């Protein structure tokens, strides 16, 4: 992996020079294809998403009992979509750009159980593992009422097994809380950037939190190593897991249904643009896959990364995928957007999704704080910094004439567009922490 000639790379991809200088950049992928052409590279299909959706339905009666806050959605972990028109006007004024169409926010920030997008993939992977163990032991059948998992019999069964994961915070929260609730012994290996309150919250749930002074890559490696020495330990691999990816992908069909209820049309003349904050890539990649399967070529997915951690852009732009890390070109991977503080992207997600993503852009930490303050001020919605990365997306797209022309986006179509910013976290940030975030905003 260290064979990469960095000087040559910088010459081949001039955009890298701006990235190294920590400038905000955007790149619209010239290799984007239709869904039909791109799908074979994903290696997964509609049936896989359906299986994931069915599994979540089987677990719903359990979740209602284990987490009563999920009762109002009958044990389905799903978030609201809201229109943020005051935010839209503010963005238009501040950036002096017209955003044609509607601006909506997908509030995964307020998903039950763990307050972030990780409540999709992380929880799904733990449930998948638990189901497999229980079925193998002859304790469970898929036709059973899964609320029986909320009993001492099952928690003592699961307590023989352990689960480990490496995390910048939110994945650890989802996996830690879910695993501990089922009865597993669970260790979360936390990178240096993980917030103290997240560690404390996990410990209060009985989770073993292991702290590192290094970044996410190191925390994952250590977690993986520890799990290798224990045959009863299952390591959740955020960098390569198809299961996590599928847990996220269920969001596509769910969003389609929400849009139907809201009378929002997505078709050739009513395009959908979705802006997804990207860390290692599993969350936004899985969601984008689900969206593509639900809306086909009428959805345009754009990933947002911090200027200090543009790992997916780096991997896909250069074609090196997980063969290069931002540190290799002198970018430090230190950002206030802790959920996105990842230096090396998932190779699995990059290779699977590169043809199905329209573009990428980077955003500075200060801009995330400013958008955080603005959203709070005009919409009274509070998010964590990572979750604001997507908020610049409508501005970036509206200012990219070349891209819009390439995808044949006429002004007529744009006038009917729906812009959906995926708010990925922040619902459980304690008030004192939120005050600190808000104090960093300039507005
Ligand atoms: C994890 C996370 C993301 C990105 O997900 P990845 O799977 O790491 O790409 C975005 N926002 C928040 C708040 C997160 O916690």
């Amino acid at each position: 992996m260290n064979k990469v000639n960095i000087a040559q790379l910088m010459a081949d991809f001039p955009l890298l020079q701006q990235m190294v200088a920590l400038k905000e950049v955007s790149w619209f992928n010239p290799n984007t294809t239709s869904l039909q052409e791109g799908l074979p590279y994903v290696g997964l299909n509609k049936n896989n998403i359906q299986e994931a959706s069915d599994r979540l339905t089987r677990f719903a009666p359990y979740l209602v009992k284990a987490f009563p806050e999920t009762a109002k959605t009958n044990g389905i972990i799903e978030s609201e979509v809201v229109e943020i028109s005051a935010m839209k006007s503010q963005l238009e004024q501040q950036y002096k750009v017209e955003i044609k169409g509607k601006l909506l926010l997908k509030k995964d920030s307020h998903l039950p159980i763990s307050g972030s997008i990780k409540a999709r993939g992380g929880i799904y992977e733990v449930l998948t593992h638990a189901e497999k163990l229980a079925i193998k032991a002859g304790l469970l059948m898929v036709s059973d009422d899964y609320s029986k998992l909320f009993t001492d019999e099952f928690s003592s069964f699961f307590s023989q097994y352990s689960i480990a994961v490496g995390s910048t915070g939110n994945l650890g929260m989802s996996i830690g809380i879910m695993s501990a609730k089922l009865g597993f012994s669970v260790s979360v290996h936390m990178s240096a950037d993980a917030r103290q309150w997240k560690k404390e919250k996990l410990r209060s749930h009985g989770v073993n939190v292991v702290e590192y002074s290094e970044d996410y890559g190191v925390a994952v490696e250590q977690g993986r190593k520890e799990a290798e020495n224990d045959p009863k330990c299952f390591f959740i691999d955020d960098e390569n897991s198809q299961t996590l990816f599928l847990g996220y992908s269920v969001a596509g069909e769910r969003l389609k249904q929400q849009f139907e209820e809201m009378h929002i049309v997505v078709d050739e003349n009513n395009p959908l643009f979705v802006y997804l904050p990207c860390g290692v890539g599993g969350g936004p990649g899985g969601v984008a896959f689900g969206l593509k399967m639900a809306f086909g070529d009428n959805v345009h997915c754009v990933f947002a990364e911090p200027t200090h951690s543009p790992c997916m852009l780096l991997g896909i732009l250069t074609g090196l995928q997980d063969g290069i890390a931002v540190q290799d070109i002198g970018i430090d991977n230190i950002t206030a957007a802790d959920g996105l503080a990842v230096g090396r992207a998932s190779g699995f997600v990059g290779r699977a999704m590169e043809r199905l993503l329209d573009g990428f852009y980077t955003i500075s930490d200060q801009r995330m704080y400013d958008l955080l303050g603005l959203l709070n001020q005009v919409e009274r919605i509070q998010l964590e910094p990572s979750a604001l990365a997507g908020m610049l997306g409508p501005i970036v797209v509206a200012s990219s004439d070349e891209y819009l022309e390439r995808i044949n986006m006429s002004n007529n179509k744009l006038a009917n567009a729906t812009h959906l910013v995926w708010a990925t976290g922040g619902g459980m940030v304690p008030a004192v922490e939120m005050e600190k975030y808000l104090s960093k905003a300039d507005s």
Side-chain angles (χ1 to χ4, degrees):
M1 280 195 194
N2 287 329
K3 294 277 155 60
V4 179
N5 179 337
I6 299 298
Q8 188 61 50
L9 206 63
M10 302 290 280
D12 291 347
F13 302 98
L15 188 68
L16 293 180
Q17 289 158 27
Q18 290 180 56
M19 289 161 63
V20 170
L22 304 174
K23 298 258 169 57
E24 292 182 327
V25 302
S26 62
W27 180 66
F28 289 91
N29 188 358
N31 304 315
T32 307
T33 62
S34 66
L35 173 59
Q36 202 191 347
E37 283 173 82
L39 189 58
Y41 296 90
V42 183
L44 295 165
N45 56 43
K46 260 202 161 109
N47 295 339
N48 301 117
I49 301 179
Q50 191 57 47
E51 271 173 47
S53 175
D54 292 347
R55 180 166 291 114
L56 290 167
T57 304
R58 288 199 290 279
F59 272 98
Y62 165 75
L63 291 172
V64 168
K65 282 204 169 161
F67 299 99
E69 69 265 36
T70 66
K72 53 180 182 293
T73 51
N74 299 315
I76 296 298
I77 301 167
E78 195 43 73
S79 70
E80 278 186 297
V81 177
V82 295
E83 184 158 9
I84 46 171
S85 36
M87 186 67 181
K88 182 184 156 185
S89 328
Q90 286 296 319
L91 288 171
E92 290 179 311
Q93 277 177 37
Q94 289 199 2
Y95 289 90
K96 311 210 171 359
V97 171
E98 185 192 357
I99 301 170
K100 300 192 180 81
K102 273 193 281 302
L103 182 60
L104 307 179
L105 189 71
K106 178 66 172 161
K107 290 174 73 181
D108 273 12
S109 46
H110 292 73
L111 281 172
I113 303 177
S114 65
S116 82
I117 187 172
K118 304 296 193 312
R120 297 183 184 277
I123 288 175
Y124 176 69
E125 177 134 21
V126 173
L127 297 178
T128 304
H129 182 59
E131 184 183 56
K132 199 160 102 193
L133 290 174
I135 289 177
K136 198 166 162 215
L139 296 172
L140 183 71
M141 292 195 299
V142 290
S143 54
D144 286 348
D145 175 350
Y146 279 28
S147 61
K148 76 189 232 188
L149 283 122
F150 192 59
T151 53
D152 292 344
E153 186 202 351
F154 276 92
S155 42
S156 67
F157 168 69
F158 291 127
S159 71
Q160 314 164 65
Y161 299 93
S162 59
I163 289 181
V165 67
S167 171
T168 61
N170 287 336
L171 185 66
M173 292 260 285
S174 289
I175 286 172
I177 293 172
M178 189 67 248
S179 304
K181 184 68 91 177
L182 280 159
F184 287 103
S185 154
V186 51
S187 296
V188 176
H189 298 260
M190 289 267 201
S191 52
D193 35 83
R195 301 283 130 192
Q196 192 58 33
W197 68 266
K198 291 181 183 171
K199 298 176 188 168
E200 282 159 20
K201 187 164 178 112
L202 281 175
R203 290 193 171 114
S204 78
H205 279 86
V207 173
N208 175 32
V209 176
V210 189
E211 300 181 60
Y212 294 89
S213 53
E214 292 99 346
D215 80 353
Y216 166 84
V218 174
V220 171
E221 245 1 272
Q222 289 305 314
R224 202 191 308 267
K225 247 184 225 154
E226 202 178 290
E228 272 167 10
N229 299 326
D230 178 357
K232 285 197 153 180
C233 182
F234 177 61
F235 176 70
I236 295 186
D237 185 347
D238 194 16
E239 291 172 334
N240 296 294
S241 171
Q242 290 199 352
T243 310
L244 267 177
F245 187 83
L246 287 169
Y248 291 115
S249 72
V250 174
E253 56 168 65
R254 301 238 189 106
L255 183 74
K256 189 172 184 176
Q257 200 181 335
Q258 285 179 313
F259 274 8
E260 275 163 21
E261 286 158 14
M262 296 168 78
H263 307 290
I264 293 172
V265 178
V266 177
D267 62 18
E268 162 92 53
N269 295 313
N270 297 269
L272 170 62
F273 291 86
V274 183
Y275 307 100
L276 294 144
C278 179
V280 75
V287 169
F289 173 56
L291 290 169
K292 279 287 173 187
M293 297 306 281
F295 298 104
D297 296 327
N298 301 317
V299 61
H300 303 274
C301 299
V302 177
F303 280 13
E305 295 180 295
T307 50
H308 285 257
S309 309
C311 63
M312 190 61 83
L313 170 55
L314 176 64
I316 290 181
L317 171 71
T318 60
L320 294 170
Q321 307 290 359
D322 55 352
I324 189 164
V326 300
Q327 291 92 337
D328 296 339
I329 58 169
I331 299 178
D332 61 8
N333 188 32
I334 294 175
T335 168
D338 40 280
L340 312 179
V342 177
R344 187 185 302 276
S346 161
F348 152 61
V349 173
R351 279 181 278 267
M353 293 301 296
E354 58 183 335
R355 294 163 195 82
L356 300 179
L357 303 174
D358 277 30
F360 304 80
Y361 66 86
T362 60
I363 176 168
S364 74
D365 282 14
Q366 188 56 50
R367 201 181 304 279
M368 286 186 258
Y369 280 129
D370 294 346
L371 291 167
L372 187 152
L374 191 61
L375 187 70
N376 174 60
Q377 198 188 316
V378 301
E379 302 280 355
R380 293 279 145 218
I381 297 173
Q382 296 172 349
L383 304 178
E384 64 183 274
S386 299
L388 276 305
M391 196 60 83
L392 193 63
I395 301 292
V396 174
V397 162
S399 323
S400 301
D401 295 337
E402 205 183 301
Y403 159 63
L404 291 171
E405 207 164 295
R406 177 150 52 76
I407 62 168
N408 293 319
M409 199 52 65
S410 65
N411 279 338
N412 283 345
K413 285 194 210 173
L414 271 181
N416 301 329
T418 300
H419 298 270
L420 181 68
V421 174
W422 213 278
T424 45
M428 289 187 179
V429 175
V432 283
E433 299 293 325
M434 189 54 72
E435 281 311 313
K436 286 186 212 160
Y437 287 150
L438 289 168
S439 71
K440 303 222 164 95
D442 74 349
S443 47

